[in-house]
Amino acid sequence: VHGPGADIDTLCVGPSYVNREEDFFIILHDILAEMEEVTELQPVPDAHVPVMKFKFQGISIDLLYASISLLVVPDDLDISCVSVLHNVDEQSVRSLNGCRVADQILKLVPNIEHFRTALRCLKFWAKRRGVYSNVTGFLGGVNWALLVARICQLYPNAIPSMLLSRFFRVYTQWRWPNPVMLCSIEEDELGFPVWDPRKNPRDRFHHMPIITPAYPCMNSSYNVSVSTLRVIMEQFQCGNGICEEIELNKAQWNTLFERYLFFEAYKNYLQVDIVSADADDLLAWKGWTESRLRLLTLKIERDTNGMLQCHPYPNEYVDKSKLFPHCSFFMGLQRKEG
């Protein structure tokens, strides 16, 4: 499912003797840097899923690399097959995971067309309401896909408009941290860690577990915090209210997609300015800072014992009157009620 402005997530699969550190992040990086179609090239080798980000002819691309334990990669390689993961490092497993999960979702939903329409709708809604962003602690593309897929399983004969209203009805009543799962978790055949709050104490602290359906099953939404979960749930309530009115013919569908007026919602805001010497530096500096904003939210709430609530906003802002490379992020602040 893609909309205007979406990036292209790409996976490069190579043989065992082509490695990530040198061949991908140095040699391929230098080849791409020479190409005039490629701009804004930004390697992120130490990310949870190592990635090379760039624009190709103006289109955003995220390029991942997985090295499998074969000397020749066959043309008909089926990465859905568990045997692909034999003798593969964890970064490659995580890189392969995106494609494996996407294939698995399509196998697990009853009607692919209805799933796609409902998902496109919800992603549009989430962007308009400011809750579409994995890095800020909201939900990213794969999370929305899994949530919608679960509704498709619960209502296999529903058309997209009904899936949409059922989505809000089900998730406003969902008792987090009960996990959303499309299938039962396969036990570890190859010994990779799978999500299991009984065995792994870390997994008990996840606020909104949305579990990926392909082995090794992981929580795709571990970035969600107490504060972002609160904001997401408020938006679900809001969406649910509008859908109920639509069913009574008291509202139109376009009411659901009205933009969230973030700058009218709070009295106080925290503004984080990101400034750099040139545009290339801004890319790397902004990416790094953005990945830390989530931790800032956690620390503010922790150090005030939850009395100061934060609402980070995923969109960045640029002040056109400033002539140096910069951007700003904002956080709404309010006291906890009572």
Side-chain angles (χ1 to χ4, degrees), residues 208-251:
M208 192 183 192
I210 302 169
I211 310 304
T212 57
Y215 176 83
C217 298
M218 314 175 193
N219 174 21
S220 62
S221 52
Y222 55 87
N223 280 357
V224 173
S225 66
V226 173
S227 30
T228 51
L229 177 58
R230 184 186 66 248
V231 174
I232 293 167
M233 290 307 287
E234 280 169 9
Q235 291 303 333
F236 283 173
Q237 302 278 4
C238 181
N240 190 45
I242 293 168
C243 283
E244 285 175 355
E245 294 202 322
I246 292 169
E247 285 177 357
L248 298 169
N249 286 327
K250 287 184 178 172

Short mmCIF file of all heavy atoms in Angstrom, two decimals, residues 208-251:
data_model
loop_
_atom_site.label_atom_id
_atom_site.label_comp_id
_atom_site.label_asym_id
_atom_site.label_seq_id
_atom_site.Cartn_x
_atom_site.Cartn_y
_atom_site.Cartn_z
N MET A 208 2.24 -1.42 23.99
CA MET A 208 1.25 -1.62 22.93
C MET A 208 1.75 -2.69 21.96
O MET A 208 2.03 -2.40 20.81
CB MET A 208 1.05 -0.28 22.19
CG MET A 208 -0.14 -0.25 21.27
SD MET A 208 -0.22 1.34 20.40
CE MET A 208 -1.87 1.23 19.71
N PRO A 209 1.91 -3.95 22.43
CA PRO A 209 2.56 -4.95 21.58
C PRO A 209 1.74 -5.30 20.34
O PRO A 209 0.56 -5.64 20.44
CB PRO A 209 2.70 -6.18 22.50
CG PRO A 209 2.23 -5.78 23.84
CD PRO A 209 1.52 -4.48 23.75
N ILE A 210 2.39 -5.16 19.17
CA ILE A 210 1.79 -5.55 17.88
C ILE A 210 2.80 -6.50 17.26
O ILE A 210 3.89 -6.08 16.86
CB ILE A 210 1.55 -4.31 16.99
CG1 ILE A 210 0.63 -3.30 17.71
CG2 ILE A 210 0.95 -4.72 15.65
CD1 ILE A 210 0.54 -1.94 17.02
N ILE A 211 2.47 -7.79 17.24
CA ILE A 211 3.47 -8.83 16.98
C ILE A 211 3.53 -9.19 15.49
O ILE A 211 2.50 -9.41 14.85
CB ILE A 211 3.14 -10.10 17.81
CG1 ILE A 211 2.91 -9.74 19.28
CG2 ILE A 211 4.24 -11.15 17.67
CD1 ILE A 211 4.04 -9.00 19.95
N THR A 212 4.75 -9.25 14.95
CA THR A 212 4.92 -9.61 13.54
C THR A 212 4.63 -11.10 13.34
O THR A 212 4.97 -11.92 14.20
CB THR A 212 6.34 -9.30 13.04
OG1 THR A 212 7.28 -10.01 13.86
CG2 THR A 212 6.64 -7.82 13.12
N PRO A 213 4.03 -11.47 12.19
CA PRO A 213 3.59 -12.85 12.00
C PRO A 213 4.66 -13.82 11.47
O PRO A 213 4.43 -15.01 11.47
CB PRO A 213 2.46 -12.71 10.97
CG PRO A 213 2.81 -11.50 10.19
CD PRO A 213 3.52 -10.57 11.13
N ALA A 214 5.82 -13.33 11.02
CA ALA A 214 6.82 -14.23 10.45
C ALA A 214 7.88 -14.55 11.51
O ALA A 214 8.25 -13.68 12.30
CB ALA A 214 7.47 -13.58 9.23
N TYR A 215 8.37 -15.78 11.52
CA TYR A 215 9.45 -16.15 12.44
C TYR A 215 10.71 -15.35 12.11
O TYR A 215 11.02 -15.19 10.94
CB TYR A 215 9.75 -17.66 12.33
CG TYR A 215 10.92 -18.08 13.19
CD1 TYR A 215 10.75 -18.36 14.54
CD2 TYR A 215 12.21 -18.13 12.67
CE1 TYR A 215 11.83 -18.70 15.34
CE2 TYR A 215 13.30 -18.47 13.47
CZ TYR A 215 13.09 -18.75 14.80
OH TYR A 215 14.15 -19.07 15.59
N PRO A 216 11.46 -14.82 13.09
CA PRO A 216 11.16 -14.80 14.53
C PRO A 216 10.20 -13.66 14.90
O PRO A 216 10.48 -12.51 14.57
CB PRO A 216 12.55 -14.56 15.14
CG PRO A 216 13.32 -13.82 14.08
CD PRO A 216 12.75 -14.22 12.75
N CYS A 217 9.06 -14.00 15.53
CA CYS A 217 8.03 -13.01 15.86
C CYS A 217 8.56 -11.96 16.84
O CYS A 217 9.13 -12.31 17.87
CB CYS A 217 6.82 -13.70 16.46
SG CYS A 217 6.07 -14.87 15.32
N MET A 218 8.39 -10.68 16.49
CA MET A 218 8.88 -9.59 17.36
C MET A 218 7.75 -8.59 17.59
O MET A 218 6.77 -8.57 16.84
CB MET A 218 10.03 -8.83 16.67
CG MET A 218 11.08 -9.70 16.02
SD MET A 218 12.27 -8.65 15.13
CE MET A 218 13.12 -9.88 14.15
N ASN A 219 7.94 -7.77 18.61
CA ASN A 219 7.00 -6.66 18.81
C ASN A 219 7.45 -5.52 17.91
O ASN A 219 8.53 -4.96 18.09
CB ASN A 219 7.00 -6.23 20.27
CG ASN A 219 6.16 -4.99 20.48
OD1 ASN A 219 5.29 -4.68 19.65
ND2 ASN A 219 6.41 -4.26 21.54
N SER A 220 6.60 -5.16 16.95
CA SER A 220 6.98 -4.13 15.97
C SER A 220 6.79 -2.72 16.52
O SER A 220 7.16 -1.74 15.88
CB SER A 220 6.12 -4.29 14.72
OG SER A 220 4.76 -4.10 15.04
N SER A 221 6.19 -2.61 17.71
CA SER A 221 5.85 -1.26 18.21
C SER A 221 6.47 -0.99 19.58
O SER A 221 5.84 -0.38 20.43
CB SER A 221 4.34 -1.11 18.29
OG SER A 221 3.80 -2.18 19.02
N TYR A 222 7.74 -1.45 19.76
CA TYR A 222 8.38 -1.25 21.07
C TYR A 222 8.71 0.22 21.33
O TYR A 222 9.06 0.59 22.45
CB TYR A 222 9.62 -2.13 21.22
CG TYR A 222 10.65 -1.93 20.14
CD1 TYR A 222 11.61 -0.94 20.23
CD2 TYR A 222 10.63 -2.73 19.00
CE1 TYR A 222 12.54 -0.74 19.22
CE2 TYR A 222 11.56 -2.53 17.98
CZ TYR A 222 12.51 -1.54 18.11
OH TYR A 222 13.41 -1.32 17.09
N ASN A 223 8.60 1.07 20.33
CA ASN A 223 8.87 2.51 20.54
C ASN A 223 7.72 3.23 21.24
O ASN A 223 7.88 4.36 21.70
CB ASN A 223 9.10 3.22 19.19
CG ASN A 223 10.52 3.01 18.68
OD1 ASN A 223 11.34 2.38 19.35
ND2 ASN A 223 10.80 3.52 17.51
N VAL A 224 6.55 2.62 21.30
CA VAL A 224 5.39 3.29 21.90
C VAL A 224 5.60 3.42 23.41
O VAL A 224 5.99 2.46 24.07
CB VAL A 224 4.09 2.50 21.61
CG1 VAL A 224 2.91 3.09 22.39
CG2 VAL A 224 3.80 2.50 20.12
N SER A 225 5.36 4.63 23.93
CA SER A 225 5.54 4.89 25.37
C SER A 225 4.18 5.19 26.00
O SER A 225 3.16 5.24 25.30
CB SER A 225 6.46 6.10 25.56
OG SER A 225 5.81 7.27 25.07
N VAL A 226 4.18 5.41 27.31
CA VAL A 226 2.93 5.75 28.00
C VAL A 226 2.29 6.98 27.35
O VAL A 226 1.08 7.03 27.10
CB VAL A 226 3.20 6.05 29.50
CG1 VAL A 226 1.96 6.57 30.20
CG2 VAL A 226 3.70 4.78 30.19
N SER A 227 3.14 7.97 27.04
CA SER A 227 2.59 9.23 26.51
C SER A 227 2.07 9.08 25.08
O SER A 227 1.00 9.59 24.76
CB SER A 227 3.64 10.34 26.56
OG SER A 227 4.93 9.80 26.44
N THR A 228 2.82 8.37 24.22
CA THR A 228 2.33 8.26 22.85
C THR A 228 1.11 7.33 22.78
O THR A 228 0.20 7.55 21.99
CB THR A 228 3.43 7.81 21.87
OG1 THR A 228 4.08 6.64 22.36
CG2 THR A 228 4.47 8.91 21.67
N LEU A 229 1.08 6.31 23.65
CA LEU A 229 -0.11 5.44 23.69
C LEU A 229 -1.34 6.25 24.07
O LEU A 229 -2.42 6.08 23.49
CB LEU A 229 0.09 4.29 24.69
CG LEU A 229 -1.10 3.34 24.87
CD1 LEU A 229 -1.52 2.70 23.57
CD2 LEU A 229 -0.80 2.26 25.91
N ARG A 230 -1.16 7.19 25.04
CA ARG A 230 -2.29 8.02 25.45
C ARG A 230 -2.81 8.85 24.27
O ARG A 230 -4.02 8.92 24.03
CB ARG A 230 -1.85 8.95 26.60
CG ARG A 230 -2.97 9.80 27.18
CD ARG A 230 -2.47 10.79 28.21
NE ARG A 230 -1.59 11.80 27.63
CZ ARG A 230 -0.29 11.89 27.88
NH1 ARG A 230 0.30 11.07 28.72
NH2 ARG A 230 0.44 12.83 27.30
N VAL A 231 -1.89 9.43 23.50
CA VAL A 231 -2.28 10.25 22.34
C VAL A 231 -2.98 9.39 21.28
O VAL A 231 -4.01 9.77 20.72
CB VAL A 231 -1.05 10.97 21.74
CG1 VAL A 231 -1.42 11.70 20.46
CG2 VAL A 231 -0.44 11.93 22.76
N ILE A 232 -2.41 8.20 21.01
CA ILE A 232 -3.01 7.30 20.01
C ILE A 232 -4.43 6.92 20.44
O ILE A 232 -5.36 6.95 19.63
CB ILE A 232 -2.15 6.02 19.85
CG1 ILE A 232 -0.79 6.35 19.23
CG2 ILE A 232 -2.87 4.99 18.98
CD1 ILE A 232 0.25 5.22 19.32
N MET A 233 -4.60 6.58 21.72
CA MET A 233 -5.92 6.17 22.20
C MET A 233 -6.93 7.32 22.12
O MET A 233 -8.09 7.11 21.78
CB MET A 233 -5.84 5.62 23.63
CG MET A 233 -5.12 4.28 23.74
SD MET A 233 -5.76 3.01 22.62
CE MET A 233 -7.32 2.62 23.43
N GLU A 234 -6.47 8.55 22.41
CA GLU A 234 -7.36 9.71 22.27
C GLU A 234 -7.83 9.83 20.82
O GLU A 234 -9.00 10.12 20.55
CB GLU A 234 -6.62 11.00 22.67
CG GLU A 234 -6.55 11.22 24.17
CD GLU A 234 -5.58 12.36 24.55
OE1 GLU A 234 -5.09 13.08 23.64
OE2 GLU A 234 -5.31 12.51 25.76
N GLN A 235 -6.90 9.62 19.88
CA GLN A 235 -7.27 9.74 18.46
C GLN A 235 -8.21 8.61 18.04
O GLN A 235 -9.12 8.82 17.24
CB GLN A 235 -6.01 9.77 17.59
CG GLN A 235 -5.18 11.03 17.74
CD GLN A 235 -5.97 12.30 17.43
OE1 GLN A 235 -6.93 12.30 16.67
NE2 GLN A 235 -5.57 13.41 18.05
N PHE A 236 -8.00 7.41 18.59
CA PHE A 236 -8.92 6.30 18.30
C PHE A 236 -10.33 6.63 18.78
O PHE A 236 -11.32 6.40 18.09
CB PHE A 236 -8.44 5.00 18.97
CG PHE A 236 -7.29 4.30 18.26
CD1 PHE A 236 -6.68 3.20 18.83
CD2 PHE A 236 -6.83 4.75 17.02
CE1 PHE A 236 -5.63 2.55 18.19
CE2 PHE A 236 -5.77 4.12 16.38
CZ PHE A 236 -5.17 3.01 16.96
N GLN A 237 -10.41 7.21 20.01
CA GLN A 237 -11.73 7.58 20.56
C GLN A 237 -12.42 8.59 19.64
O GLN A 237 -13.60 8.48 19.35
CB GLN A 237 -11.56 8.24 21.94
CG GLN A 237 -10.86 7.39 22.99
CD GLN A 237 -11.79 6.41 23.68
OE1 GLN A 237 -12.96 6.30 23.31
NE2 GLN A 237 -11.26 5.66 24.64
N CYS A 238 -11.60 9.55 19.20
CA CYS A 238 -12.12 10.60 18.33
C CYS A 238 -12.63 9.99 17.01
O CYS A 238 -13.75 10.28 16.56
CB CYS A 238 -10.98 11.58 18.08
SG CYS A 238 -11.43 12.96 17.05
N GLY A 239 -11.82 9.10 16.41
CA GLY A 239 -12.22 8.44 15.16
C GLY A 239 -13.47 7.60 15.35
O GLY A 239 -14.36 7.56 14.49
N ASN A 240 -13.56 6.94 16.50
CA ASN A 240 -14.71 6.09 16.79
C ASN A 240 -16.00 6.91 16.87
O ASN A 240 -17.03 6.55 16.32
CB ASN A 240 -14.48 5.33 18.10
CG ASN A 240 -15.53 4.26 18.32
OD1 ASN A 240 -15.86 3.50 17.41
ND2 ASN A 240 -16.08 4.20 19.52
N GLY A 241 -15.89 8.08 17.55
CA GLY A 241 -17.04 8.96 17.67
C GLY A 241 -17.55 9.42 16.31
O GLY A 241 -18.76 9.43 16.04
N ILE A 242 -16.60 9.78 15.43
CA ILE A 242 -17.00 10.25 14.09
C ILE A 242 -17.62 9.11 13.28
O ILE A 242 -18.63 9.30 12.60
CB ILE A 242 -15.78 10.86 13.36
CG1 ILE A 242 -15.33 12.14 14.06
CG2 ILE A 242 -16.12 11.17 11.89
CD1 ILE A 242 -13.99 12.69 13.62
N CYS A 243 -17.05 7.90 13.37
CA CYS A 243 -17.61 6.76 12.63
C CYS A 243 -19.02 6.43 13.10
O CYS A 243 -19.88 6.07 12.29
CB CYS A 243 -16.71 5.53 12.77
SG CYS A 243 -15.24 5.63 11.72
N GLU A 244 -19.27 6.57 14.39
CA GLU A 244 -20.62 6.32 14.90
C GLU A 244 -21.60 7.34 14.32
O GLU A 244 -22.73 7.00 13.96
CB GLU A 244 -20.63 6.36 16.44
CG GLU A 244 -20.03 5.10 17.05
CD GLU A 244 -19.92 5.16 18.57
OE1 GLU A 244 -20.22 6.23 19.16
OE2 GLU A 244 -19.53 4.13 19.16
N GLU A 245 -21.14 8.60 14.20
CA GLU A 245 -22.01 9.63 13.61
C GLU A 245 -22.25 9.38 12.13
O GLU A 245 -23.34 9.60 11.61
CB GLU A 245 -21.41 11.02 13.83
CG GLU A 245 -21.37 11.42 15.29
CD GLU A 245 -21.28 12.93 15.48
OE1 GLU A 245 -20.56 13.58 14.67
OE2 GLU A 245 -21.91 13.44 16.41
N ILE A 246 -21.21 8.88 11.43
CA ILE A 246 -21.35 8.58 10.00
C ILE A 246 -22.40 7.49 9.81
O ILE A 246 -23.24 7.56 8.91
CB ILE A 246 -19.99 8.15 9.39
CG1 ILE A 246 -19.01 9.34 9.37
CG2 ILE A 246 -20.16 7.59 7.98
CD1 ILE A 246 -17.57 8.97 9.04
N GLU A 247 -22.38 6.48 10.69
CA GLU A 247 -23.34 5.38 10.58
C GLU A 247 -24.78 5.87 10.81
O GLU A 247 -25.73 5.28 10.31
CB GLU A 247 -22.98 4.26 11.57
CG GLU A 247 -21.77 3.45 11.09
CD GLU A 247 -21.32 2.37 12.07
OE1 GLU A 247 -21.90 2.28 13.17
OE2 GLU A 247 -20.38 1.64 11.73
N LEU A 248 -24.92 6.96 11.59
CA LEU A 248 -26.25 7.53 11.84
C LEU A 248 -26.58 8.64 10.83
O LEU A 248 -27.55 9.38 11.02
CB LEU A 248 -26.31 8.10 13.26
CG LEU A 248 -26.11 7.11 14.42
CD1 LEU A 248 -25.94 7.85 15.74
CD2 LEU A 248 -27.28 6.13 14.49
N ASN A 249 -25.73 8.77 9.78
CA ASN A 249 -25.89 9.84 8.77
C ASN A 249 -25.84 11.24 9.37
O ASN A 249 -26.42 12.18 8.83
CB ASN A 249 -27.21 9.67 7.99
CG ASN A 249 -27.10 8.52 7.01
OD1 ASN A 249 -26.02 8.26 6.46
ND2 ASN A 249 -28.20 7.82 6.78
N LYS A 250 -25.11 11.39 10.48
CA LYS A 250 -24.97 12.72 11.10
C LYS A 250 -23.67 13.40 10.69
O LYS A 250 -23.43 14.54 11.05
CB LYS A 250 -25.02 12.60 12.62
CG LYS A 250 -26.40 12.29 13.18
CD LYS A 250 -26.35 12.28 14.70
CE LYS A 250 -27.71 12.03 15.30
NZ LYS A 250 -27.61 11.83 16.77
N ALA A 251 -22.79 12.65 10.01
CA ALA A 251 -21.50 13.22 9.59
C ALA A 251 -21.07 12.60 8.27
O ALA A 251 -21.57 11.54 7.89
CB ALA A 251 -20.44 12.97 10.67
#
